[in-house]
Amino acid sequence: QVALVESGGGSVQAGGSLRLSCAASGNVRSTYCMAWFRQAPGKEREAVAVIASDGTTKYADSVKGRFTISQDNAKNTLYLQMNSLKPEDTAMYYCAADVRVAWWALLLPSAYTYWGQGTQVTVSS
């Protein structure tokens, strides 16, 4: 079992920045694929950024150039640095993890077994 706890959400004005953290505990291994997803009210959960076990990253087109995913394996912590935030980035942000996710499935919520409770990000115009 793996437990994921997100933090770092909050309210910010458009153009501002936030850094989300996801602390992982339990049977966490370096082979895990880690990801950030988000879900706005009335919308489906969507992938934001993924970091595979080999360090390869993948981003949603809507956040490319603005968001950066990274991890500290020594601390079992995943990060999401969000810059130039826009009102449309407003959502609940979730951390997710699983082992050996296929490349073609990296952005699919159904590919991940372990999820955090989420942290709210609100961007005002």
Side-chain angles (χ1 to χ4, degrees), residues 2 4 22 24 27-37 47 49-58 69-71 73 77-78 94-109 111-115:
V2 173
L4 303 172
C22 171
N27 189 24
V28 179
R29 293 171 285 173
S30 60
T31 54
Y32 272 68
C33 179
M34 306 288 292
W36 287 100
F37 287 80
V50 175
I51 185 164
S53 58
D54 64 357
T56 303
T57 58
K58 196 170 185 178
I69 189 171
S70 63
Q71 62 184 12
N73 288 328
T77 302
L78 180 72
Y94 298 91
C95 174
D98 211 314
V99 178
R100 292 187 290 274
V101 177
W103 178 255
W104 58 267
L106 284 175
L107 299 182
L108 298 179
Y112 296 84
T113 301
Y114 303 105
W115 291 85

Side-chain angles (χ1 to χ4, degrees), residues 2-121:
V2 173
L4 303 172
V5 179
E6 303 96 334
S7 62
S11 296
V12 65
Q13 289 191 327
S17 298
L18 284 173
R19 188 177 82 155
L20 306 183
S21 298
C22 171
S25 61
N27 189 24
V28 179
R29 293 171 285 173
S30 60
T31 54
Y32 272 68
C33 179
M34 306 288 292
W36 287 100
F37 287 80
R38 66 186 181 186
Q39 188 167 19
K43 295 188 176 181
E44 293 187 354
R45 190 167 297 190
E46 63 176 2
V48 176
V50 175
I51 185 164
S53 58
D54 64 357
T56 303
T57 58
K58 196 170 185 178
Y59 294 91
D61 289 343
S62 59
V63 306
K64 281 181 182 177
R66 300 188 298 122
F67 291 11
T68 302
I69 189 171
S70 63
Q71 62 184 12
D72 184 333
N73 288 328
K75 295 181 179 180
N76 286 335
T77 302
L78 180 72
Y79 301 101
L80 184 69
Q81 178 66 43
M82 305 186 295
N83 299 327
S84 302
L85 282 161
K86 304 175 181 180
E88 51 263 44
D89 294 318
T90 295
M92 185 72 79
Y93 282 70
Y94 298 91
C95 174
D98 211 314
V99 178
R100 292 187 290 274
V101 177
W103 178 255
W104 58 267
L106 284 175
L107 299 182
L108 298 179
S110 58
Y112 296 84
T113 301
Y114 303 105
W115 291 85
Q117 294 300 306
T119 185
Q120 178 68 37
V121 172

